[in-house]
Every structure is written in structure tokens, then in C-alpha cells.
Amino acid sequence: MSGIKLKIILLVIFLSLSGLCILAQAFRLQVMDISSHRKELTKVTIPCKRGFIYDRNGEPLAITVQTPSLYACPDKIENPYVVARALHKILHISQKELVKKLNRKGEFIWIKRWLSPREAEAIEKLNLNGLGFQPENRRYYPHIFLAGQVLGFVGIDGKGLEGIERKYDYFLKGKPGYYYGIKDACGRITISPRLPIQPAQDGDTLYLTLNYKIQYAAEEALKKAIKKWHAQKGCVVVVVPQTGEILAMANYPFFDPNSFRKANPTIWRNQTIADVFEPGSTFKPFLLATALNENIWSPHDILYGEKGHYRLENVTIHDVKPFGWLSVENAIVYSSNIGAVKIGQKVKKELFYDYIKRFGFGKRTNIDLDGEASGLVRSPNQWTKIDTATICFGQGIGITALQLAMAYCAIANDGKLMQPLLVREIRDAKGKVVKLYQPHIKASVITPKTAYKVKKILRKVVVKGTGQEADIPGYEVAGKTGTSQKINPKTGRYYKNKHIASFVGFFPASHPRVVIVVVIDEPHPISFGGVVAAPIFKEIAQDIIWLWQLPPSSPTFKVAKLKKTPKLAVPSKSLVEATQINPDIAQGIMPDLRGLPLRLALKVLQDANIKVKIKGMGRVIKQTPPPGTKIKGDIVCLLQLEAN
């Protein structure tokens, strides 16, 4: 073998061994010793985006936006006192607190999370060393107060703390990603090429059953009534009886989830599910349904009203008006407490208790919200003779507004009790449906025949009974008023001058489209449900009729007409202004809507087939496109609202 060949062979062997050594070292570094090397690396989190919440028609109710947050690197700040003084003027944080933060040792500390655009711009102009901005995801509720207690809110760490945000946090929160990086001497992090990147997975999107326009109408009517009657608080629930879908769930006082820290935590409560109250006469239809369904009474059976005073043991039961002989039907129509007691005396208390439970009282509805109360329904073996009598007219029993709504839905829905629905579907970040919620029948409480009879009587309550203030000419409204005394928790006795006024109704009575519950806490000086709560129902119902463009009902039930002709209201200045701007639309010009209440602005734009987006509550203060703009094609008008 020549010397040249030997050298070539030795060179090949040397290169092969070197290659094997390199591969072995690479295997050791990247596979065998990966855990030890990770200790030298910095794990960097890739934030994910929290899923949006929309109403049933795709209107955003909760979104996620990127907002700058301010941090400091104390090691790089030369004079903390100078920096603190400059930041104090912009952020309105005490100089003492700022100096304390800036004097800490370390490379990073938060100064303020979620700056406003004005704050970020002002700090940027200072051009101070050691300060920096970090973009963060922040939850934003574009309609401000709208459905605040239903939506809930998200904490600074991105976790849902109340309402839908809390209940569906698992779906909404998403999954952050991460990568490992190497930090240089200046603190900058570069991605390690040896380790994989785990991308962030954005949260799922929720589509609720709420209709934000109906929600707005409910909140506006509720707010106006609370102020008119100087009430403590109130709530409204609007439900589709055939599906159990909740179209509106309003609570007053309102709550702005964008500024949840500024609100008293008691306002976070969703009254419709958390507050228990005695329903008063709105409970009488369930006694009636029990008696009719069991063929114990018929609507035309006669009972004696005791001329307004009925002595039972050591208690006297009163009626607002004295009645002599009256039918079972009229006992409900004219809301006779004594009549209800007489009906109940032929219905065994165990049977009535069974129907109360069947209608869903005394147990949670299992709506998709935390904090729901089960109410208070005692076992019949604990009912005294007086208890048995008072429960017949809705005293001595505790329920929630949602329970009351769903029970009336059962009457409106031919006896079928539905599961309340607040979420329609969940979609992932790519739009694929993850979960679909379907209507669910929980029980058949009464027969369709019985439901028809009860609906017919409730229609007469509105036509000629205590609910006339809820009547809408041309539409078959049915419902029941309620006025109940409140209990003093200290004494266990009823207050003499504190009441809860309520009204529950639905329309059209022959085939109801919605059930609306109105509950007003401590109205004064008048506390009757027919005076206080029924007009709120009417206002919301009229908004729904206009929104859905419902045609007038064709009479199905033959009932007596109202004796009194309702007075026509004088058009307000706003209504006159609204009619005056229609000529602009006719000429293809965007009218000036500024100063109008939302209802009138919506009517003007809907008449012109112009799509609308709403931001805020109250009256219109700004519009896009601006007044005088030519209307071209399929435009969308953005209305900026502000409370009066």
C-alpha cells in the first residue's frame, strides 16, 4: 500500500470519528441535557386572546383589545424622585407610592396596567430612561352598562370573576403559548433555536340568547320607572316561552363592568336570579292552574267574597275592594285575596305544594350563571292554616324573578316548562361550533286545555281587571299584577309601608311570542303592581312589537272591551323633531340625529332601511356618517350615546 493511500484512509477514519463525536455531543446537548439547559433559558409566555361574547344577532357585548401597560426597570432609573414627580402628574398615583416602586431593586416592575391613550401619549413624550410599554389584552364592554350583571367582568389577570365571564371562563380564556429564549447582557431575549415554540390558542366565542336592542329597551323602561316611583331597585326578564331563550335580563341600578372596581359589590348581583321575594298576586294563576287541572273548580263556579273581610282563626284577610258572590274567574281577574283563599280551601295543601314544585319553585332553574337562589318553599307539613291561606295569594313563599318568568312560560307554552337558555352556541377561534345549546322541556306541568283556560282568564285581567295599564290596543296582552308586603328581617313581621310591585304578562295571548316579568322594589308613594309595573311591561312590549314589526292580533278570545277610551298623549318635542328629519332621508341625505333618544333615532333609521350600530346609552351625541352626508348603498350608521 502506497503512502498516499494510507494517508487517505487515515484521513477518512479521522473525519468519521470527528463526525460521530459531533453527533454524540449534539445528541447530549439537545436530548440528554435538555432539562439542565432549560434552567439557563428564560420561558417567555405568548399571550392568548380571550374569546368575544356576542348577542344572538352577532352584536359584540364583550371584546378583547390591546392596551399599553407601563413598566419600569428600576436599575436603569437615575433619579426616581424626578421620574415619580413626572408620572404623578399624568397617572394621578401618589408620588410616595411611585418612589417606593422605582427604588426597588430589580429589572422589572409594573407601574400601571391598562393606560388610557391620553396617558400613554403623555408618558411617551417624557422620553424617560427606564420606562417602557408592554401591550396587554384588556376586556372591553362596548355598550358600557348594557347587561352588566349578566356579562360580569374579568380581573386584571384575565380571569372571569362574575356573570357569564366567570361561568364560561374555561371556554373564553384560551391557552397561552410559550417559547424559551436566551437573555443577553442588556436584558433582551432572543428565541432559542433549539427548542420548539408553542403557539397561543385564542379563547372560544360565545353567542348568547340576548337581543341587545330588547335588553336596551328593558333597561331604559326600568330606569325611567325606578326614578319615577323613587324605588330602591328593580329587574326585568324577557323570555321566549316556546324555547326558554332569554332575550333580556335587566337589573337596576346599572353596573359598568369596564369599571367594576368603582362599583359597590352589591350592585354586581344579578337580582333576577339572586334576590328572593314574595310574589303576591302574580302567584294566583298557579293556584288557579292547579284547581282547573285537577277539575276541583271550573272558571264559572261561584264563591263568596265575604264583603272584603274574612276572619280566619285570629287573622283577618282583606281585599282592596269588597266582593260578594263572584266566579272563580273573576276572583283572579279582580285579584281577590279572599277569593284565592276560598279556591285554595278546596285544593289540598299537599296537592298545591306538588304543583308549586312542578312549576319550578323552590329549586334552582339551573341557568348558566353562578349565584342563583333556590327560593323558599316550605314543606306542607310546616304550613299552618294561616300559611296555607296566605300562600294562595303569594305571601309566605319566596321566589326569584327568573323562576316566575319560567313558570309563566309554562302557562304560555301549553303547560310545558322549559329550561332557561342564556347561551346559544360556542365557537372556537376558527369559527367551528364547539357546543350547541338546544331548547329542553323539563316537564309538562298542566294540560294544554288547562293552559288555554288560564291564558283566557289572564287576558281578561288586562282587558277589564287589575292589569289594564298593560293593555296595547290591537294586541292580545295577558298577564297578572302583584303587590306584596316586604318582611322586616329584624322583627320577622311585614312592613306596613314597604312593598314589591310586579307584573307578569305575555302576548299575543293565543300564541305568546314573549313573556315579560317586571319587579320593582319599594316604589312610593304608590305601590300597586297594576300602576307601577304594568306600564313598564307595556313600554317594553311596544318596543318589541316595533322591533319585530309584529302585526296586530286577530281576536281569538271574546272579552269585554274597555269602557274608558285611553287619552292620546301629546307628541313630545323629540317626536316632532324626529318627524321633521324624515324629508332629509327622502332626499338621500343623512339626517341630524344628535340629541334624540335612541328609540326615536332607531325608528328614523329603520324606516330608511339603514343599519345601525350603537355605543353607549342615553341620547345620541355623535353619529357616523355625520349629518348632511349623502346616503350611498348599504351603509351602517354608528350612534354614540351618552346618558342624560
Side-chain angles (χ1 to χ4, degrees):
M1 183 182 292
S2 64
I4 294 174
K5 287 184 177 181
L6 181 61
K7 290 178 180 180
I8 292 172
I9 291 171
L10 292 173
L11 180 62
V12 170
I13 293 172
F14 174 76
L15 292 174
S16 299
L17 290 173
S18 298
L20 289 172
C21 289
I22 292 171
L23 289 172
Q25 180 67 358
F27 179 79
R28 185 182 68 82
L29 289 172
Q30 297 200 36
V31 179
M32 302 299 293
D33 293 343
I34 191 68
S35 59
S36 62
H37 276 273
R38 281 189 179 179
K39 295 177 183 178
E40 302 171 5
L41 300 173
T42 299
K43 186 177 181 179
V44 181
T45 299
I46 304 172
C48 60
K49 201 171 186 180
R50 190 173 180 87
F52 286 17
I53 301 176
Y54 294 100
D55 85 335
R56 65 189 299 114
N57 297 316
E59 178 67 22
L61 302 178
I63 62 177
T64 300
V65 295
Q66 272 207 336
T67 306
S69 291
L70 179 67
Y71 67 87
C73 300
D75 294 347
K76 296 181 181 180
I77 294 176
E78 297 178 2
N79 192 331
Y81 296 94
V82 173
V83 175
R85 189 161 51 249
L87 292 179
H88 163 71
K89 295 178 181 178
I90 299 170
L91 302 178
H92 304 294
I93 300 174
S94 71
Q95 285 186 233
K96 185 178 180 180
E97 183 181 345
L98 288 168
V99 169
K100 186 178 179 181
K101 286 185 174 184
L102 297 174
N103 273 327
R104 289 180 183 175
K105 293 182 180 180
E107 298 176 347
F108 181 94
I109 188 170
W110 286 115
I111 300 299
K112 185 178 180 182
R113 313 284 285 272
W114 302 343
L115 300 179
S116 69
R118 182 191 62 79
E119 291 172 334
E121 184 180 357
I123 293 171
E124 197 170 6
K125 287 180 180 178
L126 295 176
N127 196 27
L128 295 171
N129 289 332
L131 298 180
F133 298 101
Q134 175 68 39
E136 288 194 293
N137 289 331
R138 181 182 182 180
R139 203 60 162 171
Y140 178 64
Y141 303 89
H143 292 284
I144 309 177
F145 295 102
L146 193 81
Q149 287 90 345
V150 179
L151 296 173
F153 55 86
V154 174
I156 202 164
D157 59 353
K159 185 178 180 180
L161 299 178
E162 290 288 339
I164 286 287
E165 295 278 26
R166 174 176 174 170
K167 187 68 177 181
Y168 284 86
D169 187 63
Y170 173 80
F171 293 97
L172 290 165
K173 65 184 178 181
K175 190 175 182 180
Y178 63 87
Y179 65 86
Y180 287 95
I182 303 172
K183 186 182 290 187
D184 62 18
C186 297
R188 294 178 298 232
I189 298 175
T190 56
I191 298 176
S192 170
R194 293 183 286 114
L195 294 172
I197 298 174
Q198 180 65 46
Q201 182 179 332
D202 289 341
D204 296 332
T205 295
L206 263 61
Y207 285 83
L208 305 184
T209 61
L210 296 181
N211 181 315
Y212 90 103
K213 292 182 180 178
I214 296 177
Q215 177 76 26
Y216 181 87
E219 291 184 1
E220 282 291 287
L222 182 61
K223 178 181 73 173
K224 187 165 65 176
I226 294 284
K227 291 182 176 179
K228 177 181 178 180
W229 298 107
H230 311 287
Q232 293 293 314
K233 58 184 179 178
C235 63
V236 171
V237 184
V238 183
V239 192
V240 179
Q242 293 80 14
T243 64
E245 293 175 289
I246 296 173
L247 301 178
M249 189 176 263
N251 295 266
Y252 190 91
F254 297 145
F255 159 63
D256 179 6
N258 292 300
S259 307
F260 66 88
R261 290 186 187 84
K262 296 179 182 179
N264 188 317
T266 57
I267 300 179
W268 300 349
R269 287 170 60 88
N270 186 340
Q271 300 171 46
T272 64
I273 64 170
D275 286 6
V276 175
F277 65 98
E278 296 190 13
S281 294
T282 55
F283 202 70
K284 291 174 183 174
F286 307 114
L287 172 67
L288 175 67
T290 304
L292 297 182
N293 206 58
E294 295 293 329
N295 295 314
I296 297 170
W297 290 92
S298 75
H300 303 294
D301 286 341
I302 302 298
L303 50 81
Y304 187 57
E306 305 289 343
K307 297 296 183 179
H309 299 276
Y310 184 37
R311 190 73 178 171
L312 198 62
E313 292 189 346
N314 60 340
V315 174
T316 301
I317 296 169
H318 300 275
D319 273 335
V320 176
K321 294 181 181 180
F323 296 103
W325 291 101
L326 73 167
S327 65
V328 168
E329 176 181 285
N330 284 337
I332 303 299
V333 170
Y334 298 111
S335 203
S336 167
N337 289 342
I338 295 171
V341 172
K342 292 290 186 77
I343 294 170
Q345 285 175 341
K346 285 184 66 177
V347 177
K348 291 182 179 180
K349 61 181 182 180
E350 290 80 10
L351 178 63
F352 188 27
Y353 172 82
D354 180 51
Y355 271 85
I356 289 172
K357 299 294 283 187
R358 284 197 213 177
F359 273 108
F361 298 109
K363 51 190 174 184
R364 295 182 179 91
T365 66
N366 292 325
I367 190 174
D368 286 339
L369 288 171
D370 290 329
E372 183 181 15
S374 58
L376 178 62
V377 180
R378 290 172 296 155
S379 173
N381 57 24
Q382 297 177 307
W383 298 5
T384 64
K385 193 172 183 180
I386 301 301
D387 292 334
T388 305
T390 58
I391 288 173
C392 291
F393 52 86
Q395 296 276 184
I397 186 170
I399 68 171
T400 67
L402 182 61
Q403 288 174 339
L404 188 60
M406 300 315 299
Y408 268 82
C409 282
I411 293 172
N413 188 33
D414 295 333
K416 299 181 184 68
L417 180 68
M418 302 300 296
Q419 168 68 33
L421 286 178
L422 191 54
V423 178
R424 296 187 82 181
E425 62 181 44
I426 303 174
R427 299 181 188 176
D428 63 19
K430 295 180 180 179
K432 182 181 178 182
V433 175
V434 175
K435 196 168 184 180
L436 189 64
Y437 294 84
Q438 299 284 3
H440 171 66
I441 300 173
K442 297 174 72 172
S444 291
V445 187
I446 54 178
T447 66
K449 184 178 179 181
T450 300
Y452 175 83
K453 290 178 181 178
V454 177
K455 285 189 284 187
K456 188 175 178 180
I457 293 171
L458 294 181
R459 170 64 181 143
K460 292 183 180 181
V461 171
V462 174
V463 172
K464 62 178 183 178
T466 58
Q468 294 184 40
E469 290 295 325
D471 196 27
I472 302 173
Y475 294 87
E476 291 178 332
V477 175
K480 185 70 188 76
T481 57
T483 308
S484 60
Q485 291 178 284
K486 291 185 66 175
I487 287 184
N488 185 333
K490 294 181 180 178
T491 64
R493 297 177 178 274
Y494 288 109
Y495 287 110
K496 291 183 179 180
N497 57 353
K498 291 185 179 182
H499 298 83
I500 290 177
S502 58
F503 182 84
V504 190
F506 47 84
F507 70 95
S510 54
H511 184 70
R513 296 288 298 271
V514 291
V515 168
I516 304 174
V517 172
V518 180
V519 181
I520 306 296
D521 195 342
E522 292 187 31
H524 62 275
I526 298 174
S527 57
F528 296 119
V531 178
V532 175
I536 305 173
F537 166 93
K538 181 177 181 178
E539 187 172 342
I540 298 168
Q542 286 175 322
D543 285 333
I544 293 172
I545 288 168
W546 170 77
L547 180 64
W548 289 351
Q549 295 294 294
L550 297 178
S553 306
S554 57
T556 301
F557 302 133
K558 294 180 180 180
V559 292
K561 294 182 179 180
L562 284 171
K563 295 180 180 179
K564 295 180 180 180
T565 304
K567 295 180 180 179
L568 296 175
V570 178
S572 65
K573 183 180 178 183
S574 297
L575 184 58
V576 174
E577 290 172 350
T579 58
Q580 288 174 342
I581 61 181
N582 285 327
D584 290 337
I585 291 180
Q587 297 173 16
I589 299 172
M590 179 62 67
D592 188 353
L593 304 170
R594 293 170 298 182
L596 290 181
L598 177 63
R599 187 184 308 160
L600 294 179
L602 286 175
K603 187 173 190 324
V604 171
L605 294 174
Q606 181 157 333
D607 289 344
N609 293 319
I610 297 174
K611 295 180 180 178
V612 187
K613 278 193 171 291
I614 302 166
K615 186 176 182 182
M617 297 180 70
R619 289 182 175 267
V620 180
I621 60 169
K622 185 179 179 182
Q623 65 180 90
T624 305
T629 306
K630 287 187 177 180
I631 300 173
K632 295 181 180 179
D634 190 18
I635 67 168
V636 177
C637 182
L638 173 63
L639 299 179
Q640 174 72 47
L641 308 175
E642 190 174 274
N644 297 335

